[in-house]
Amino acid sequence: MKKFYVFVMAIVCFAATQEVKAQCNGVKGPNLLGAKGTFSTPFITVNNASANCTANGNHTYSPTSNIGNALTGCTTGTGSMLPCSDYVYSADNNGLKPEGRYSIVKNIGDANGGNCLHGSFRGKDHTGDGGYFMAVNGAPNSNTSPIFYKIKTIPVCIGATYEFSAWVLNMLPGNNSSANPGSEPNISFRVNGTVIGTSGPIAYTNTATWVKVGGSFVATTSTVDLEVINATAVASGNDLGLDDISINLCGSSIAVSPAAITGTNNTSFCEGADLSVNFTVTDATRSNKWYQRQLSINGGANYVNVGLPAQASFAANNTYTVTTVLGVVTSLMNGWKYRLVVAPS
């Protein structure tokens, strides 16, 4: 008896609208901000006019090309999809000592000492791609706009849910005399003016420690304006790093398992077997309720729909199962691929 190969697959259609939590349940799409959220090239370029002590190459915390240029999106108008800050950019000696200042830096301090931007701060890029992070000396909201980072007009799908998150660093070491309880950084995430998540105090640690925080939202407009803002009114302390700011689309996870194999050989996908399979869709958001069966007979180069799209009902455990009958396997089906596509509509 000949054995043939029939492939069964499952995908989530990210082109359609979907939902997200602060931690995605299922398949997470790419960061829609890219280098604009990771503070990486090609978006961030080197500031060759920064103070010599910030990037003189003499120390691990002042390597060459250590300072990136300012975020300029606020001056280019709505629709630019370029980030900016309401804080004042600095690349000067002691440039981060005044509150309400920020810089774009690779390494602001480590076990060997602190960069001259602010000698007490510690931390380096979180992404690990040789890029930068945003270093901020937070100011009381009564004196300064609370907006650390904002970017406008990001395209989204109405009805989808997204994760808006960032990695945050408390740059002031826990053994510093200013590291007092109640003075920790605390940030919120705002979408179209509405707060969708708050980090809570980012604890002081003796070694620089990045923490991921975020929130989720359901898109009600075709574009969104995103902001990371100050959520504390303290002055002393409230010194933070931001990196890997992300907005991600999340989809469902789909498991594939045989529902029934009957015929001359019930343990393999062999010629003569009567085959059907189960696609089990798990989606905590219950947004991807529509499904479409598809088939490729040319190794996956092209797929065609099998039947019409249909709408499922989720069970109490946030799952539903779609059974696809492949029928009796023949030699003609060798290399065929079956898949299930799910989407909210």
Side-chain angles (χ1 to χ4, degrees), residues 188-209:
S188 292
F189 297 82
R190 199 157 63 183
V191 178
N192 290 345
T194 300
V195 173
I196 56 94
T198 298
S199 68
I202 304 298
Y204 289 109
T205 57
N206 290 334
T207 57
T209 303

mmCIF file of all heavy atoms in Angstrom, residues 188-209:
data_model
loop_
_atom_site.group_PDB
_atom_site.id
_atom_site.type_symbol
_atom_site.label_atom_id
_atom_site.label_comp_id
_atom_site.label_asym_id
_atom_site.label_seq_id
_atom_site.Cartn_x
_atom_site.Cartn_y
_atom_site.Cartn_z
ATOM 1 N N SER A 188 0.979 55.499 31.904
ATOM 2 C CA SER A 188 -0.297 55.043 31.347
ATOM 3 C C SER A 188 -0.218 55.037 29.829
ATOM 4 O O SER A 188 0.589 55.751 29.224
ATOM 5 C CB SER A 188 -1.448 55.949 31.795
ATOM 6 O OG SER A 188 -1.700 55.824 33.175
ATOM 7 N N PHE A 189 -1.089 54.234 29.230
ATOM 8 C CA PHE A 189 -1.193 54.124 27.777
ATOM 9 C C PHE A 189 -2.536 54.707 27.358
ATOM 10 O O PHE A 189 -3.582 54.298 27.855
ATOM 11 C CB PHE A 189 -1.086 52.661 27.345
ATOM 12 C CG PHE A 189 0.238 52.038 27.682
ATOM 13 C CD1 PHE A 189 0.488 51.535 28.956
ATOM 14 C CD2 PHE A 189 1.248 51.977 26.740
ATOM 15 C CE1 PHE A 189 1.713 50.976 29.273
ATOM 16 C CE2 PHE A 189 2.480 51.422 27.047
ATOM 17 C CZ PHE A 189 2.712 50.923 28.317
ATOM 18 N N ARG A 190 -2.487 55.656 26.429
ATOM 19 C CA ARG A 190 -3.698 56.365 26.026
ATOM 20 C C ARG A 190 -3.918 56.191 24.528
ATOM 21 O O ARG A 190 -2.996 56.361 23.733
ATOM 22 C CB ARG A 190 -3.564 57.850 26.398
ATOM 23 C CG ARG A 190 -4.862 58.604 26.459
ATOM 24 C CD ARG A 190 -4.758 59.847 27.331
ATOM 25 N NE ARG A 190 -3.815 60.843 26.830
ATOM 26 C CZ ARG A 190 -3.529 61.971 27.474
ATOM 27 N NH1 ARG A 190 -4.102 62.242 28.645
ATOM 28 N NH2 ARG A 190 -2.672 62.828 26.959
ATOM 29 N N VAL A 191 -5.145 55.856 24.159
ATOM 30 C CA VAL A 191 -5.526 55.663 22.758
ATOM 31 C C VAL A 191 -6.674 56.615 22.443
ATOM 32 O O VAL A 191 -7.724 56.566 23.096
ATOM 33 C CB VAL A 191 -5.953 54.206 22.483
ATOM 34 C CG1 VAL A 191 -6.383 54.043 21.027
ATOM 35 C CG2 VAL A 191 -4.821 53.246 22.823
ATOM 36 N N ASN A 192 -6.460 57.486 21.469
ATOM 37 C CA ASN A 192 -7.471 58.495 21.109
ATOM 38 C C ASN A 192 -7.979 59.240 22.339
ATOM 39 O O ASN A 192 -9.169 59.531 22.468
ATOM 40 C CB ASN A 192 -8.633 57.850 20.356
ATOM 41 C CG ASN A 192 -8.241 57.385 18.963
ATOM 42 O OD1 ASN A 192 -7.203 57.776 18.438
ATOM 43 N ND2 ASN A 192 -9.065 56.542 18.364
ATOM 44 N N GLY A 193 -7.067 59.514 23.269
ATOM 45 C CA GLY A 193 -7.395 60.297 24.448
ATOM 46 C C GLY A 193 -7.917 59.513 25.630
ATOM 47 O O GLY A 193 -8.134 60.084 26.701
ATOM 48 N N THR A 194 -8.106 58.193 25.486
ATOM 49 C CA THR A 194 -8.647 57.361 26.562
ATOM 50 C C THR A 194 -7.561 56.452 27.123
ATOM 51 O O THR A 194 -6.874 55.759 26.364
ATOM 52 C CB THR A 194 -9.814 56.499 26.043
ATOM 53 O OG1 THR A 194 -10.854 57.352 25.557
ATOM 54 C CG2 THR A 194 -10.370 55.611 27.147
ATOM 55 N N VAL A 195 -7.398 56.435 28.444
ATOM 56 C CA VAL A 195 -6.419 55.561 29.087
ATOM 57 C C VAL A 195 -6.908 54.120 29.027
ATOM 58 O O VAL A 195 -8.028 53.815 29.450
ATOM 59 C CB VAL A 195 -6.186 55.981 30.552
ATOM 60 C CG1 VAL A 195 -5.306 54.961 31.269
ATOM 61 C CG2 VAL A 195 -5.543 57.363 30.612
ATOM 62 N N ILE A 196 -6.065 53.220 28.497
ATOM 63 C CA ILE A 196 -6.450 51.808 28.366
ATOM 64 C C ILE A 196 -5.587 50.893 29.238
ATOM 65 O O ILE A 196 -5.793 49.679 29.248
ATOM 66 C CB ILE A 196 -6.421 51.358 26.889
ATOM 67 C CG1 ILE A 196 -5.052 51.599 26.231
ATOM 68 C CG2 ILE A 196 -7.494 52.089 26.096
ATOM 69 C CD1 ILE A 196 -4.121 50.449 26.249
ATOM 70 N N GLY A 197 -4.636 51.458 29.975
ATOM 71 C CA GLY A 197 -3.813 50.652 30.866
ATOM 72 C C GLY A 197 -2.817 51.516 31.609
ATOM 73 O O GLY A 197 -2.384 52.554 31.104
ATOM 74 N N THR A 198 -2.478 51.113 32.834
ATOM 75 C CA THR A 198 -1.506 51.829 33.657
ATOM 76 C C THR A 198 -0.552 50.820 34.275
ATOM 77 O O THR A 198 -0.971 49.741 34.715
ATOM 78 C CB THR A 198 -2.207 52.645 34.752
ATOM 79 O OG1 THR A 198 -3.055 53.623 34.134
ATOM 80 C CG2 THR A 198 -1.210 53.355 35.646
ATOM 81 N N SER A 199 0.721 51.163 34.317
ATOM 82 C CA SER A 199 1.743 50.217 34.762
ATOM 83 C C SER A 199 1.719 49.973 36.257
ATOM 84 O O SER A 199 2.047 48.889 36.725
ATOM 85 C CB SER A 199 3.128 50.729 34.369
ATOM 86 O OG SER A 199 3.463 51.905 35.101
ATOM 87 N N GLY A 200 1.344 50.998 37.045
ATOM 88 C CA GLY A 200 1.626 50.960 38.466
ATOM 89 C C GLY A 200 3.092 51.299 38.684
ATOM 90 O O GLY A 200 3.866 51.436 37.728
ATOM 91 N N PRO A 201 3.525 51.469 39.933
ATOM 92 C CA PRO A 201 4.914 51.859 40.200
ATOM 93 C C PRO A 201 5.915 50.849 39.640
ATOM 94 O O PRO A 201 5.767 49.640 39.843
ATOM 95 C CB PRO A 201 4.974 51.907 41.731
ATOM 96 C CG PRO A 201 3.555 52.103 42.160
ATOM 97 C CD PRO A 201 2.716 51.371 41.162
ATOM 98 N N ILE A 202 6.922 51.353 38.924
ATOM 99 C CA ILE A 202 8.015 50.517 38.419
ATOM 100 C C ILE A 202 9.096 50.493 39.494
ATOM 101 O O ILE A 202 9.749 51.499 39.762
ATOM 102 C CB ILE A 202 8.576 51.066 37.094
ATOM 103 C CG1 ILE A 202 7.457 51.209 36.052
ATOM 104 C CG2 ILE A 202 9.691 50.169 36.579
ATOM 105 C CD1 ILE A 202 6.773 49.920 35.675
ATOM 106 N N ALA A 203 9.284 49.351 40.117
ATOM 107 C CA ALA A 203 10.081 49.247 41.335
ATOM 108 C C ALA A 203 11.539 49.648 41.120
ATOM 109 O O ALA A 203 12.099 49.481 40.028
ATOM 110 C CB ALA A 203 10.016 47.822 41.873
ATOM 111 N N TYR A 204 12.136 50.161 42.183
ATOM 112 C CA TYR A 204 13.573 50.412 42.192
ATOM 113 C C TYR A 204 14.311 49.085 42.323
ATOM 114 O O TYR A 204 13.920 48.208 43.099
ATOM 115 C CB TYR A 204 13.953 51.320 43.366
ATOM 116 C CG TYR A 204 13.508 52.749 43.202
ATOM 117 C CD1 TYR A 204 12.473 53.273 43.978
ATOM 118 C CD2 TYR A 204 14.124 53.578 42.275
ATOM 119 C CE1 TYR A 204 12.066 54.589 43.827
ATOM 120 C CE2 TYR A 204 13.720 54.893 42.116
ATOM 121 C CZ TYR A 204 12.692 55.394 42.888
ATOM 122 O OH TYR A 204 12.292 56.694 42.728
ATOM 123 N N THR A 205 15.383 48.935 41.558
ATOM 124 C CA THR A 205 16.253 47.764 41.651
ATOM 125 C C THR A 205 17.695 48.239 41.612
ATOM 126 O O THR A 205 17.993 49.316 41.085
ATOM 127 C CB THR A 205 16.008 46.787 40.486
ATOM 128 O OG1 THR A 205 16.203 47.475 39.242
ATOM 129 C CG2 THR A 205 14.593 46.219 40.534
ATOM 130 N N ASN A 206 18.593 47.445 42.157
ATOM 131 C CA ASN A 206 20.002 47.843 42.169
ATOM 132 C C ASN A 206 20.672 47.651 40.816
ATOM 133 O O ASN A 206 21.703 48.266 40.533
ATOM 134 C CB ASN A 206 20.758 47.072 43.250
ATOM 135 C CG ASN A 206 20.354 47.507 44.649
ATOM 136 O OD1 ASN A 206 19.912 48.642 44.853
ATOM 137 N ND2 ASN A 206 20.489 46.617 45.619
ATOM 138 N N THR A 207 20.113 46.788 39.987
ATOM 139 C CA THR A 207 20.593 46.626 38.617
ATOM 140 C C THR A 207 19.446 46.959 37.666
ATOM 141 O O THR A 207 18.279 46.666 37.960
ATOM 142 C CB THR A 207 21.080 45.192 38.354
ATOM 143 O OG1 THR A 207 20.023 44.269 38.636
ATOM 144 C CG2 THR A 207 22.275 44.867 39.232
ATOM 145 N N ALA A 208 19.778 47.573 36.547
ATOM 146 C CA ALA A 208 18.750 48.029 35.603
ATOM 147 C C ALA A 208 17.903 46.853 35.124
ATOM 148 O O ALA A 208 18.436 45.868 34.603
ATOM 149 C CB ALA A 208 19.417 48.724 34.423
ATOM 150 N N THR A 209 16.583 46.952 35.298
ATOM 151 C CA THR A 209 15.667 45.857 34.980
ATOM 152 C C THR A 209 14.502 46.381 34.154
ATOM 153 O O THR A 209 13.735 47.236 34.611
ATOM 154 C CB THR A 209 15.126 45.206 36.269
ATOM 155 O OG1 THR A 209 16.224 44.751 37.071
ATOM 156 C CG2 THR A 209 14.217 44.034 35.936
#
